[in-house]
Amino acid sequence: MKQRYVIVGAGGRHEMYRDAILGPYAAEATLTGLCDNNRGRLALSAGIIRDKTGIDLPVYEADAFDAMITKARPDWVVITTKDSLHDAYICRAMELGCHVITEKPMTIDAERCRRILKTQRQTGKQLRVTFNYRYSPPRTQVKDLLMNGVIGDILSVDFHWMLDIRHGADYFRRWHRNKENSGGLLVHKATHHFDLVNWWIDSTPKTVYATGRRAFYRPDTAQQQGLTNRSERCHDCPEAGHCRFHLSLADNPHLRALYLEQERYDGYYRDRCVFSEAMDIEDSMALAVTYANNARMSYSLNAFMPWEGYVIVFNGTQGRLEHKCEESVYINADGSVPGALKAEGTWIRVYPHVEPAYEEPVWEALGGHGGGDELLLQDIFRPETTQDPYRRRAGERDGAWSILTGIAANCSIQQGMPIHTLALVPELDAGSQ
Ligand SMILES: NC(=O)c1ccc[n+]([C@@H]2O[C@H](COP(=O)([O-])OP(=O)(O)OC[C@H]3O[C@@H](n4cnc5c(N)ncnc54)[C@H](O)[C@@H]3O)[C@@H](O)[C@H]2O)c1
């Protein structure tokens, strides 16, 4: 039987779910409502749907969420709003009898996380967190190799993620730039990274020690670059011609329609100055993490790099696995394929203790996030046709563990000491379930 879906949040990310339901998965899924606080973005998406399919989709403003659930009778609510709103919609949807699919991060702090876990337990509804990175072939391949014991038991991990000055800079232009909206990059972005590690090494974070600061996206960097006459946003900035971070919403048809033409409804500016004082997230962070299985990880995230991607090394009892992954650069919702892999920049090398080192031919696929988006959609909308040997389907506990490293890191940066994750969300202790 067809499953009924509604989507909350009509911004950049909702397009993937909308187009999947109305396109390749139309036989399995039907879209019965769309909700957002911005009337303009609702009308834009409804118009696109009408043009593509002839369907007049009912749309609802944020204060009519409950009414949407009553009228649209969804089985599933898909949540693609900004991060700080996920918890409220997740909990309300489950209380009203719906299953939930939420974008990452599941939420942004410990209190909200505890509320989600409690509501899920009380309602018994399903909650899926869409970790598309798990589904991309090279990351699944690393899981396959580690699961098969290619380097024995994993004792330590070195993980370094680079965000470049194009895509990385984009987090400093809009709501992500304030922790109250996103939890900072250690939650908003690194939820992907920490989820991958939890999944790859099949363990959970125990203690986290972190340092971090905003080192690059600062007013003094703009001064050094001779940008002395900046505006608070690119659209009217006198430095437009000189600034290599300038983003012209007007010149990109997708960004213009989605953001510039809708800002009069809610004052959401998509192109704030990346050197502005008015932000409180870090752009350079370093962590030391211990895991329940006794593995150790050193991790860094820098958001002002010349290339985008990561290098990760697993050190095991029988050798070492090194994996590098370079991603193509993009601006979120600019109409390009986000996070597609640059084939020549991705490799996996295994260094056994005794035998010679060798390179594994990398599993490949086309599409968003290294081919992960497409496989994720199949797994969501056609679950009965997909097997899950790698345990890629993630629920509320995976969602919670994936944010806890970053949430603990935020506390550690503030308090200057290591933080125990279970002190933040005791419900995750297996013994108390
Ligand atoms: N997995 C991935 O690779 C990936 C990629 C991009 C975004 N995301 C996630 O998707 C989510 C949305 O990101 P985005 O880039 O689409 O952001 P966006 O700013 O483009 O869209 C957010 C939408 O939420 C709406 N909104 C704001 N307040 C609201 C309210 N009170 N009620 C309902 N809607 C409200 C905004 O009007 C906007 O349309 C984020 O959680 C982000 O982390 C995930």
Side-chain angles (χ1 to χ4, degrees):
M1 202 175 63
K2 266 197 185 191
Q3 294 284 291
R4 296 164 71 87
Y5 293 83
V6 296
I7 302 177
V8 194
R13 190 61 175 164
H14 98 290
E15 295 169 356
M16 181 185 82
Y17 296 94
R18 177 196 70 194
D19 296 347
I21 296 171
L22 296 170
Y25 299 98
E28 292 87 0
T30 178
L31 187 62
T32 58
L34 177 64
C35 175
D36 199 288
N37 72 325
N38 184 306
R39 246 183 296 154
R41 258 189 296 282
L42 282 173
L44 176 71
S45 192
I48 292 170
I49 292 171
R50 203 174 305 115
D51 292 346
K52 276 188 183 167
T53 65
I55 295 169
D56 254 323
L57 183 75
V59 297
Y60 301 84
E61 292 193 33
D63 58 4
F65 177 79
D66 284 17
M68 171 173 76
I69 301 297
T70 306
K71 288 186 189 147
R73 295 182 294 106
D75 301 294
W76 294 88
V77 175
V78 180
I79 297 174
T80 53
T81 56
K82 65 181 177 183
D83 307 349
S84 55
L85 301 172
H86 290 185
D87 67 306
Y89 283 117
I90 291 171
C91 292
R92 191 66 188 140
M94 292 195 293
E95 283 161 4
L96 293 174
C98 306
H99 302 303
V100 175
I101 294 165
T102 185
E103 260 304 342
K104 49 55 57 173
M106 187 171 84
T107 187
I108 60 167
D109 62 29
E111 196 185 322
R112 288 168 158 103
C113 180
R114 296 185 69 180
R115 194 175 149 234
I116 291 172
L117 294 174
K118 186 172 166 206
T119 309
Q120 191 283 326
R121 258 200 324 273
Q122 285 171 345
T123 60
K125 290 291 155 191
Q126 288 182 57
L127 173 55
R128 287 195 66 174
V129 185
T130 51
F131 289 121
N132 44 351
Y133 269 102
R134 287 189 182 196
Y135 290 79
S136 86
R139 284 106 191 187
T140 303
Q141 182 181 9
V142 169
K143 174 75 178 168
D144 184 71
L145 290 164
L146 297 175
M147 265 170 74
N148 284 307
V150 73
I151 56 164
D153 296 336
I154 296 158
L155 303 179
S156 67
V157 179
D158 296 317
F159 193 5
H160 304 288
W161 200 291
M162 278 60 68
L163 293 169
D164 73 0
I165 53 167
R166 195 142 175 265
H167 176 234
D170 213 34
Y171 295 108
F172 298 83
R173 294 198 171 100
R174 51 187 181 136
W175 52 264
H176 313 75
R177 60 181 4 212
N178 294 111
K179 283 199 177 177
E180 63 172 15
N181 295 323
S182 68
L185 290 180
L186 285 171
V187 174
H188 171 80
K189 183 68 188 171
T191 179
H192 276 310
H193 315 162
F194 300 138
D195 174 66
L196 282 172
V197 175
N198 297 346
W199 176 65
W200 275 328
I201 71 171
D202 195 18
S203 193
T204 50
K206 201 164 136 193
T207 62
V208 179
Y209 178 71
T211 61
R213 67 182 181 124
R214 185 150 51 89
F216 182 79
Y217 297 102
R218 304 161 50 95
D220 39 334
T221 306
Q223 286 294 121
Q224 282 163 19
Q225 297 191 2
L227 305 168
T228 51
N229 192 22
R230 292 180 295 115
S231 159
E232 257 314 287
R233 62 178 303 199
C234 294
H235 192 55
D236 57 8
C237 185
E239 299 285 7
H242 310 117
C243 180
R244 79 169 86 109
F245 293 86
H246 178 72
L247 174 67
S248 173
L249 297 178
D251 289 341
N252 177 307
H254 197 228
L255 293 174
R256 188 178 62 229
L258 193 56
Y259 301 108
L260 188 62
E261 289 171 3
Q262 316 310 339
E263 58 188 37
R264 66 201 141 121
Y265 297 106
D266 59 4
Y268 168 14
Y269 296 149
R270 172 72 180 73
D271 62 344
R272 290 183 189 272
C273 178
V274 300
F275 299 116
S276 140
E277 196 53 77
M279 47 179 134
D280 61 4
I281 63 169
E282 298 86 9
D283 60 16
S284 180
M285 294 136 275
L287 272 62
V289 185
T290 67
Y291 284 85
N293 68 359
N294 255 331
R296 294 335 197 213
M297 175 175 73
S298 60
Y299 166 89
S300 71
L301 174 59
N302 285 286
F304 44 91
M305 296 294 99
W307 64 274
E308 176 131 338
Y310 62 88
V311 179
I312 188 162
V313 175
F314 301 90
N315 299 308
T317 51
Q318 292 170 32
R320 172 178 167 97
L321 184 148
E322 298 183 356
H323 170 41
K324 181 187 171 206
C325 188
E326 230 176 291
E327 294 183 343
S328 64
V329 295
Y330 66 105
I331 299 278
N332 205 282
D334 67 355
S336 63
V337 177
L341 297 186
K342 287 170 96 175
E344 77 278 11
T346 298
W347 45 254
I348 299 173
R349 289 180 192 142
V350 182
Y351 297 78
H353 274 167
V354 184
E355 293 88 29
Y358 58 93
E359 192 147 332
E360 286 282 345
V362 177
W363 298 357
E364 283 178 14
L366 295 175
H369 297 99
D373 284 352
E374 194 42 55
L375 292 168
L376 168 75
L377 291 171
Q378 258 175 44
D379 197 27
I380 289 177
F381 295 116
R382 256 175 227 148
E384 65 292 344
T385 65
T386 52
Q387 306 278 313
D388 194 20
Y390 297 113
R391 212 185 59 74
R392 293 188 293 198
R393 278 176 207 161
E396 64 283 349
R397 286 181 66 85
D398 305 284
W401 281 120
S402 78
I403 49 178
L404 260 186
T405 307
I407 292 171
N410 279 336
C411 296
S412 179
I413 290 171
Q414 238 179 13
Q415 297 174 23
M417 54 189 220
I419 302 292
H420 285 265
T421 54
L422 282 176
L424 298 174
V425 183
E427 293 83 349
L428 284 170
D429 192 348
S432 68
Q433 278 286 299

